[in-house]
Amino acid sequence: MPAGLVALALGSFGIGLTEFVIAGLLPQVGRSLSVSEAAAGWLISGYALTVAVGAMVVTAATAALPRKPVLVGLVALFVVGNLLSAVAPNYPVMLGGRVVAALCHGSFFGLGSLVARRMVAPERASRAVAVMFAGLTVANVLGVPFGALVGERWGWRATFWAITCIGVVAAVAIAVFVPGWAGAVNRRPPPGSGTVTGRTDGLRGQLRAFRSGQVWLTLAATALGYGGMFGAFSYLAYTFTEVTGFSSTDVAWLLVVYGSGLVIGNVAGGRAADRNRDLTLIVSLAGLGATLAAFGLLAASPVASVVLVFLTGVFGFASVPGMITRVTDHAHGVPLAASANVSASNVGNALGAWLGGLAISTGLGYTAPLYVGAVIVLTGLAVMTVAARRSDRSGPGSVPDLGLAQDPASADRR
């Protein structure tokens, strides 16, 4: 495995920690900064909204720049944001630190996925993306308990100091181990690399990629897949305690079970997508929809709930590597499309959480978000099926080799 992929995974781990760790720290942060629960909640929702918007804006602004230094700069921005959070004397500075850190999130995963797949052979592209996203899935498992443990022992500021240090190490690792040619723009790769150089893409050229119906279908499937999963996930604590009968202290380890499923689904989905991408996406969405529906029916059973929350994680993240490589392939490798995929997932998260909450507020009960999530995911499955059929009709070779892959042998020589 190229060291550059490990460096990108470390960056995604740090960014993932920043996103998830705050959930376990909200009570401490709220008391320390003397703000209400609702205001403290904006440290989560403000981050998510910034990711959705910042992914597109930052990527568009850096489109013409070499991707390796941009990635290093994005991690540096992440470090600054978490440093602000660590030293924040008041709530506005804390919120500002969260916003600054969130600005790097979408662009890092968008650009990082393009750089990651350049470091491996074409047939391993989705697996390379999965390696980078492994950091995010591990952070999902460890984020909340890590934040709670460090925060309880040394205070919530220590958590952000630790994440800041992780960011510094990640920035150095990316600068040292990610090869320059993997993130080069408008420059022919070294002779003998076997890589075809993609075309030059300014902002207008990148926007032109969104004329593709396949790009929009993939983005829609991404938003719906994420939205269904997150709509259910947002209210799992209520489902576990109010329907299944678990205690509130059990929720932490149940979320670790869910996060473990994310890790496994990410790895398995990346491998499967390299063999048959569209089939993998269809199976993962179908599996997620069926799992959420079964979860709603069997939520009263503790054993079934543990198994099904694990499978929710597995199927929920199995589609991620394939969705990213699919949208970038059909968008001719432009970075804005990769970042748009991240934005689409965050829009889906917001939609799913809103619809799940709406279902509860109308009196449908704490299993309602699971059924709502299943409907959303199955809608995404229908979109993905249409996309796959249209892609099949366009014939083989419809997505050209755009220099997104790099012979690992040539990587080893550099």
Side-chain angles (χ1 to χ4, degrees):
M1 180 187 300
L5 284 181
V6 178
L8 291 174
L10 180 60
S12 74
F13 174 70
I15 293 172
L17 277 181
T18 298
E19 179 178 16
F20 301 121
V21 78
I22 190 67
L25 298 174
L26 275 186
Q28 288 187 50
V29 174
R31 288 192 300 269
S32 175
L33 301 179
S34 302
V35 297
S36 66
E37 290 84 353
W42 270 100
L43 298 176
I44 296 176
S45 54
Y47 184 98
L49 290 172
T50 304
V51 171
V53 176
M56 302 292 287
V57 174
V58 174
T59 302
T62 59
L65 301 176
R67 292 163 192 168
K68 177 180 175 178
V70 169
L71 286 172
V72 175
L74 290 171
V75 179
L77 190 66
F78 157 83
V79 169
V80 171
N82 281 283
L83 184 59
L84 282 173
S85 297
V87 302
N90 51 46
Y91 175 75
V93 175
M94 180 68 183
L95 182 59
R98 294 289 291 169
V99 168
V100 170
L103 285 173
C104 81
H105 186 122
S107 293
F108 180 87
F109 284 105
L111 294 175
S113 64
L114 296 175
V115 173
R117 61 183 298 182
R118 264 192 169 181
M119 286 189 277
V120 301
E123 63 273 13
R124 298 179 65 87
S126 293
R127 272 173 281 188
V129 173
V131 169
M132 190 195 74
F133 271 83
L136 179 65
T137 58
V138 172
N140 195 300
V141 177
L142 300 179
V144 175
F146 170 82
L149 177 64
V150 175
E152 182 179 341
R153 192 173 183 87
W154 295 290
W156 64 268
R157 295 181 188 275
T159 302
F160 287 98
W161 278 113
I163 296 173
T164 300
C165 293
I166 292 172
V168 171
V169 174
V172 172
I174 291 170
V176 172
F177 295 112
V178 172
W181 51 259
V185 175
N186 300 336
R187 181 164 61 85
R188 188 170 296 278
S193 67
T195 302
V196 179
T197 304
R199 68 171 187 270
T200 301
D201 282 294
L203 179 57
R204 182 177 298 179
Q206 295 209 44
L207 291 174
R208 193 179 300 121
F210 289 89
R211 295 177 182 177
S212 167
Q214 285 289 343
V215 169
W216 286 106
L217 287 169
T218 308
L219 291 176
T222 295
L224 292 166
Y226 265 96
M229 178 178 69
F230 200 78
F233 172 77
S234 299
Y235 304 97
L236 277 180
Y238 294 102
T239 305
F240 286 139
T241 56
E242 302 299 325
V243 179
T244 313
F246 285 113
S247 69
S248 58
T249 57
D250 289 324
V251 172
W253 70 262
L254 289 165
L255 293 180
V256 170
V257 172
Y258 167 79
S260 301
L262 295 181
V263 174
I264 293 173
N266 177 59
V267 174
R271 290 180 175 274
D274 281 333
R275 292 192 291 270
N276 190 323
R277 185 168 59 197
D278 283 358
L279 179 60
T280 297
L281 297 178
I282 288 171
V283 169
S284 62
L285 289 172
L288 178 59
T291 297
L292 292 176
F295 202 165
L297 291 171
L298 301 174
S301 166
V303 174
S305 293
V306 173
V307 173
L308 290 167
V309 77
F310 174 76
L311 291 177
T312 297
V314 172
F315 287 116
F317 229 79
S319 64
V320 171
M323 286 292 190
I324 290 179
T325 56
R326 192 178 201 281
V327 77
T328 52
D329 277 351
H330 285 286
H332 302 281
V334 299
L336 196 60
S339 295
N341 192 269
V342 179
S343 293
S345 67
N346 279 270
V347 170
N349 290 352
L351 174 66
W354 175 69
L355 290 175
L358 185 64
I360 292 175
S361 66
T362 56
L364 296 178
Y366 289 114
T367 59
L370 294 165
Y371 293 118
V372 170
V375 172
I376 296 173
V377 170
L378 293 176
T379 304
L381 172 63
V383 172
M384 188 62 239
T385 302
V386 170
R389 288 180 176 177
R390 289 186 178 181
S391 182
D392 287 342
R393 286 200 298 268
S394 65
S398 59
V399 181
D401 181 358
L402 298 159
L404 292 174
Q406 172 69 44
D407 181 358
S410 64
D412 292 340
R413 293 195 295 267
R414 293 174 173 79

PDB file of all heavy atoms in Angstrom, residues 39-63:
ATOM      1  N   ALA A  39     -27.989  26.383  21.403  1.00  0.00           N
ATOM      2  CA  ALA A  39     -26.819  27.078  20.863  1.00  0.00           C
ATOM      3  C   ALA A  39     -25.643  26.114  20.717  1.00  0.00           C
ATOM      4  O   ALA A  39     -24.919  26.144  19.712  1.00  0.00           O
ATOM      5  CB  ALA A  39     -26.438  28.244  21.769  1.00  0.00           C
ATOM      6  N   ALA A  40     -25.454  25.259  21.711  1.00  0.00           N
ATOM      7  CA  ALA A  40     -24.377  24.271  21.618  1.00  0.00           C
ATOM      8  C   ALA A  40     -24.582  23.357  20.416  1.00  0.00           C
ATOM      9  O   ALA A  40     -23.626  22.950  19.749  1.00  0.00           O
ATOM     10  CB  ALA A  40     -24.308  23.453  22.904  1.00  0.00           C
ATOM     11  N   GLY A  41     -25.845  23.044  20.113  1.00  0.00           N
ATOM     12  CA  GLY A  41     -26.140  22.189  18.966  1.00  0.00           C
ATOM     13  C   GLY A  41     -25.675  22.763  17.651  1.00  0.00           C
ATOM     14  O   GLY A  41     -25.386  22.024  16.688  1.00  0.00           O
ATOM     15  N   TRP A  42     -25.570  24.082  17.578  1.00  0.00           N
ATOM     16  CA  TRP A  42     -25.076  24.706  16.337  1.00  0.00           C
ATOM     17  C   TRP A  42     -23.615  24.387  16.072  1.00  0.00           C
ATOM     18  O   TRP A  42     -23.133  24.543  14.950  1.00  0.00           O
ATOM     19  CB  TRP A  42     -25.280  26.216  16.395  1.00  0.00           C
ATOM     20  CG  TRP A  42     -26.610  26.615  15.844  1.00  0.00           C
ATOM     21  CD1 TRP A  42     -27.741  26.927  16.533  1.00  0.00           C
ATOM     22  CD2 TRP A  42     -26.956  26.695  14.457  1.00  0.00           C
ATOM     23  NE1 TRP A  42     -28.773  27.197  15.673  1.00  0.00           N
ATOM     24  CE2 TRP A  42     -28.314  27.074  14.387  1.00  0.00           C
ATOM     25  CE3 TRP A  42     -26.251  26.497  13.271  1.00  0.00           C
ATOM     26  CZ2 TRP A  42     -28.983  27.241  13.174  1.00  0.00           C
ATOM     27  CZ3 TRP A  42     -26.919  26.663  12.063  1.00  0.00           C
ATOM     28  CH2 TRP A  42     -28.264  27.037  12.023  1.00  0.00           C
ATOM     29  N   LEU A  43     -22.895  23.912  17.070  1.00  0.00           N
ATOM     30  CA  LEU A  43     -21.517  23.480  16.835  1.00  0.00           C
ATOM     31  C   LEU A  43     -21.488  22.230  15.959  1.00  0.00           C
ATOM     32  O   LEU A  43     -20.468  21.928  15.328  1.00  0.00           O
ATOM     33  CB  LEU A  43     -20.819  23.203  18.168  1.00  0.00           C
ATOM     34  CG  LEU A  43     -20.689  24.410  19.114  1.00  0.00           C
ATOM     35  CD1 LEU A  43     -20.072  23.981  20.439  1.00  0.00           C
ATOM     36  CD2 LEU A  43     -19.857  25.514  18.465  1.00  0.00           C
ATOM     37  N   ILE A  44     -22.614  21.500  15.928  1.00  0.00           N
ATOM     38  CA  ILE A  44     -22.754  20.348  15.032  1.00  0.00           C
ATOM     39  C   ILE A  44     -23.390  20.756  13.716  1.00  0.00           C
ATOM     40  O   ILE A  44     -22.837  20.509  12.642  1.00  0.00           O
ATOM     41  CB  ILE A  44     -23.596  19.237  15.702  1.00  0.00           C
ATOM     42  CG1 ILE A  44     -22.878  18.694  16.938  1.00  0.00           C
ATOM     43  CG2 ILE A  44     -23.873  18.104  14.715  1.00  0.00           C
ATOM     44  CD1 ILE A  44     -23.679  17.660  17.702  1.00  0.00           C
ATOM     45  N   SER A  45     -24.552  21.388  13.780  1.00  0.00           N
ATOM     46  CA  SER A  45     -25.270  21.736  12.550  1.00  0.00           C
ATOM     47  C   SER A  45     -24.532  22.802  11.751  1.00  0.00           C
ATOM     48  O   SER A  45     -24.532  22.775  10.512  1.00  0.00           O
ATOM     49  CB  SER A  45     -26.689  22.204  12.882  1.00  0.00           C
ATOM     50  OG  SER A  45     -26.675  23.251  13.826  1.00  0.00           O
ATOM     51  N   GLY A  46     -23.877  23.754  12.434  1.00  0.00           N
ATOM     52  CA  GLY A  46     -23.096  24.766  11.723  1.00  0.00           C
ATOM     53  C   GLY A  46     -21.945  24.141  10.967  1.00  0.00           C
ATOM     54  O   GLY A  46     -21.614  24.555   9.844  1.00  0.00           O
ATOM     55  N   TYR A  47     -21.341  23.141  11.580  1.00  0.00           N
ATOM     56  CA  TYR A  47     -20.257  22.415  10.896  1.00  0.00           C
ATOM     57  C   TYR A  47     -20.778  21.744   9.636  1.00  0.00           C
ATOM     58  O   TYR A  47     -20.191  21.856   8.560  1.00  0.00           O
ATOM     59  CB  TYR A  47     -19.664  21.375  11.853  1.00  0.00           C
ATOM     60  CG  TYR A  47     -18.464  20.625  11.309  1.00  0.00           C
ATOM     61  CD1 TYR A  47     -17.178  21.016  11.657  1.00  0.00           C
ATOM     62  CD2 TYR A  47     -18.616  19.528  10.460  1.00  0.00           C
ATOM     63  CE1 TYR A  47     -16.070  20.336  11.171  1.00  0.00           C
ATOM     64  CE2 TYR A  47     -17.521  18.846   9.966  1.00  0.00           C
ATOM     65  CZ  TYR A  47     -16.256  19.243  10.320  1.00  0.00           C
ATOM     66  OH  TYR A  47     -15.170  18.576   9.823  1.00  0.00           O
ATOM     67  N   ALA A  48     -21.914  21.045   9.760  1.00  0.00           N
ATOM     68  CA  ALA A  48     -22.466  20.307   8.617  1.00  0.00           C
ATOM     69  C   ALA A  48     -22.852  21.243   7.476  1.00  0.00           C
ATOM     70  O   ALA A  48     -22.584  20.949   6.304  1.00  0.00           O
ATOM     71  CB  ALA A  48     -23.676  19.496   9.067  1.00  0.00           C
ATOM     72  N   LEU A  49     -23.471  22.371   7.802  1.00  0.00           N
ATOM     73  CA  LEU A  49     -23.861  23.317   6.758  1.00  0.00           C
ATOM     74  C   LEU A  49     -22.636  23.902   6.059  1.00  0.00           C
ATOM     75  O   LEU A  49     -22.632  24.102   4.837  1.00  0.00           O
ATOM     76  CB  LEU A  49     -24.715  24.437   7.361  1.00  0.00           C
ATOM     77  CG  LEU A  49     -26.115  24.034   7.824  1.00  0.00           C
ATOM     78  CD1 LEU A  49     -26.775  25.174   8.572  1.00  0.00           C
ATOM     79  CD2 LEU A  49     -26.969  23.617   6.626  1.00  0.00           C
ATOM     80  N   THR A  50     -21.591  24.177   6.824  1.00  0.00           N
ATOM     81  CA  THR A  50     -20.361  24.702   6.232  1.00  0.00           C
ATOM     82  C   THR A  50     -19.719  23.687   5.308  1.00  0.00           C
ATOM     83  O   THR A  50     -19.190  24.036   4.247  1.00  0.00           O
ATOM     84  CB  THR A  50     -19.363  25.108   7.331  1.00  0.00           C
ATOM     85  OG1 THR A  50     -19.979  26.053   8.210  1.00  0.00           O
ATOM     86  CG2 THR A  50     -18.118  25.744   6.727  1.00  0.00           C
ATOM     87  N   VAL A  51     -19.757  22.408   5.695  1.00  0.00           N
ATOM     88  CA  VAL A  51     -19.218  21.354   4.826  1.00  0.00           C
ATOM     89  C   VAL A  51     -19.956  21.341   3.491  1.00  0.00           C
ATOM     90  O   VAL A  51     -19.335  21.283   2.418  1.00  0.00           O
ATOM     91  CB  VAL A  51     -19.332  19.972   5.503  1.00  0.00           C
ATOM     92  CG1 VAL A  51     -18.989  18.856   4.513  1.00  0.00           C
ATOM     93  CG2 VAL A  51     -18.399  19.894   6.708  1.00  0.00           C
ATOM     94  N   ALA A  52     -21.283  21.408   3.539  1.00  0.00           N
ATOM     95  CA  ALA A  52     -22.082  21.327   2.316  1.00  0.00           C
ATOM     96  C   ALA A  52     -21.771  22.472   1.359  1.00  0.00           C
ATOM     97  O   ALA A  52     -21.648  22.274   0.148  1.00  0.00           O
ATOM     98  CB  ALA A  52     -23.570  21.336   2.668  1.00  0.00           C
ATOM     99  N   VAL A  53     -21.611  23.676   1.895  1.00  0.00           N
ATOM    100  CA  VAL A  53     -21.337  24.844   1.047  1.00  0.00           C
ATOM    101  C   VAL A  53     -19.848  24.944   0.727  1.00  0.00           C
ATOM    102  O   VAL A  53     -19.449  25.178  -0.425  1.00  0.00           O
ATOM    103  CB  VAL A  53     -21.824  26.132   1.738  1.00  0.00           C
ATOM    104  CG1 VAL A  53     -21.463  27.359   0.912  1.00  0.00           C
ATOM    105  CG2 VAL A  53     -23.326  26.068   1.968  1.00  0.00           C
ATOM    106  N   GLY A  54     -19.021  24.758   1.752  1.00  0.00           N
ATOM    107  CA  GLY A  54     -17.584  24.935   1.570  1.00  0.00           C
ATOM    108  C   GLY A  54     -16.969  23.957   0.599  1.00  0.00           C
ATOM    109  O   GLY A  54     -15.992  24.291  -0.087  1.00  0.00           O
ATOM    110  N   ALA A  55     -17.508  22.749   0.510  1.00  0.00           N
ATOM    111  CA  ALA A  55     -16.957  21.758  -0.415  1.00  0.00           C
ATOM    112  C   ALA A  55     -16.918  22.286  -1.833  1.00  0.00           C
ATOM    113  O   ALA A  55     -15.922  22.117  -2.551  1.00  0.00           O
ATOM    114  CB  ALA A  55     -17.788  20.472  -0.352  1.00  0.00           C
ATOM    115  N   MET A  56     -17.980  22.939  -2.249  1.00  0.00           N
ATOM    116  CA  MET A  56     -18.062  23.453  -3.618  1.00  0.00           C
ATOM    117  C   MET A  56     -17.245  24.734  -3.781  1.00  0.00           C
ATOM    118  O   MET A  56     -16.500  24.904  -4.751  1.00  0.00           O
ATOM    119  CB  MET A  56     -19.523  23.719  -3.977  1.00  0.00           C
ATOM    120  CG  MET A  56     -20.418  22.495  -3.864  1.00  0.00           C
ATOM    121  SD  MET A  56     -20.035  21.253  -5.099  1.00  0.00           S
ATOM    122  CE  MET A  56     -20.691  22.047  -6.569  1.00  0.00           C
ATOM    123  N   VAL A  57     -17.369  25.646  -2.815  1.00  0.00           N
ATOM    124  CA  VAL A  57     -16.716  26.957  -2.930  1.00  0.00           C
ATOM    125  C   VAL A  57     -15.193  26.818  -2.897  1.00  0.00           C
ATOM    126  O   VAL A  57     -14.483  27.372  -3.755  1.00  0.00           O
ATOM    127  CB  VAL A  57     -17.188  27.893  -1.803  1.00  0.00           C
ATOM    128  CG1 VAL A  57     -16.394  29.200  -1.824  1.00  0.00           C
ATOM    129  CG2 VAL A  57     -18.677  28.184  -1.936  1.00  0.00           C
ATOM    130  N   VAL A  58     -14.671  26.084  -1.930  1.00  0.00           N
ATOM    131  CA  VAL A  58     -13.227  25.935  -1.793  1.00  0.00           C
ATOM    132  C   VAL A  58     -12.644  25.173  -2.979  1.00  0.00           C
ATOM    133  O   VAL A  58     -11.587  25.525  -3.502  1.00  0.00           O
ATOM    134  CB  VAL A  58     -12.868  25.237  -0.463  1.00  0.00           C
ATOM    135  CG1 VAL A  58     -11.375  24.954  -0.378  1.00  0.00           C
ATOM    136  CG2 VAL A  58     -13.315  26.092   0.719  1.00  0.00           C
ATOM    137  N   THR A  59     -13.333  24.128  -3.417  1.00  0.00           N
ATOM    138  CA  THR A  59     -12.829  23.358  -4.567  1.00  0.00           C
ATOM    139  C   THR A  59     -12.813  24.201  -5.824  1.00  0.00           C
ATOM    140  O   THR A  59     -11.839  24.159  -6.599  1.00  0.00           O
ATOM    141  CB  THR A  59     -13.700  22.108  -4.793  1.00  0.00           C
ATOM    142  OG1 THR A  59     -13.699  21.310  -3.604  1.00  0.00           O
ATOM    143  CG2 THR A  59     -13.166  21.275  -5.947  1.00  0.00           C
ATOM    144  N   ALA A  60     -13.850  24.994  -6.054  1.00  0.00           N
ATOM    145  CA  ALA A  60     -13.885  25.870  -7.222  1.00  0.00           C
ATOM    146  C   ALA A  60     -12.765  26.901  -7.168  1.00  0.00           C
ATOM    147  O   ALA A  60     -12.121  27.206  -8.177  1.00  0.00           O
ATOM    148  CB  ALA A  60     -15.237  26.566  -7.320  1.00  0.00           C
ATOM    149  N   ALA A  61     -12.495  27.421  -5.978  1.00  0.00           N
ATOM    150  CA  ALA A  61     -11.466  28.456  -5.832  1.00  0.00           C
ATOM    151  C   ALA A  61     -10.058  27.916  -6.043  1.00  0.00           C
ATOM    152  O   ALA A  61      -9.144  28.664  -6.414  1.00  0.00           O
ATOM    153  CB  ALA A  61     -11.580  29.089  -4.451  1.00  0.00           C
ATOM    154  N   THR A  62      -9.861  26.610  -5.808  1.00  0.00           N
ATOM    155  CA  THR A  62      -8.516  26.026  -5.920  1.00  0.00           C
ATOM    156  C   THR A  62      -8.383  25.100  -7.124  1.00  0.00           C
ATOM    157  O   THR A  62      -7.410  24.350  -7.215  1.00  0.00           O
ATOM    158  CB  THR A  62      -8.183  25.228  -4.640  1.00  0.00           C
ATOM    159  OG1 THR A  62      -9.166  24.188  -4.456  1.00  0.00           O
ATOM    160  CG2 THR A  62      -8.188  26.130  -3.420  1.00  0.00           C
ATOM    161  N   ALA A  63      -9.337  25.178  -8.056  1.00  0.00           N
ATOM    162  CA  ALA A  63      -9.390  24.213  -9.150  1.00  0.00           C
ATOM    163  C   ALA A  63      -8.132  24.180 -10.001  1.00  0.00           C
ATOM    164  O   ALA A  63      -7.726  23.129 -10.490  1.00  0.00           O
ATOM    165  CB  ALA A  63     -10.612  24.497 -10.035  1.00  0.00           C
TER     166      ALA A  63
END
